[in-house]
Amino acid sequence: METTYVITPHVINTINSLPVEERIAITAALAGEIILGTESTSTLTPVQEIIFSMIRQYVRRDTERFAADRHIILNAGQHHDHPAL
């Protein structure tokens, strides 16, 4: 599996701003999903699930933006009339 995930300072700051219990639970669930490909939200409380969903959406959004930017850069390098960025 060669999926690239982007975790921005916004995601890290959001996680670090949480109380310790939520921070640990959500980080474990996020790592389980990203690294292990497991569904780890079953151990989260309803409030933690909401926060996890929000953070997971941040990661997905940032990853999609990175992929789109990378695609533009790679395509720009294939055209002689457009210098590679």
Side-chain angles (χ1 to χ4, degrees), residues 23-84:
R23 186 181 323 153
I24 292 170
I26 290 167
T27 301
L30 191 61
E33 183 173 293
I34 290 174
I35 297 170
L36 303 174
T38 61
E39 174 62 42
S40 303
T41 58
S42 61
T43 60
L44 300 177
T45 67
V47 171
Q48 290 170 344
E49 284 184 35
I50 292 169
I51 297 168
F52 172 80
S53 294
M54 179 183 71
I55 292 171
R56 181 177 51 194
Q57 184 55 39
Y58 292 162
V59 171
R60 286 180 179 165
R61 179 198 63 202
D62 296 338
T63 299
E64 288 172 2
R65 286 180 181 169
F66 173 80
D69 290 346
R70 186 169 183 264
H71 179 73
I72 290 169
I73 291 169
L74 290 175
N75 284 340
Q78 294 176 0
H79 300 288
H80 296 291
D81 57 332
H82 293 87

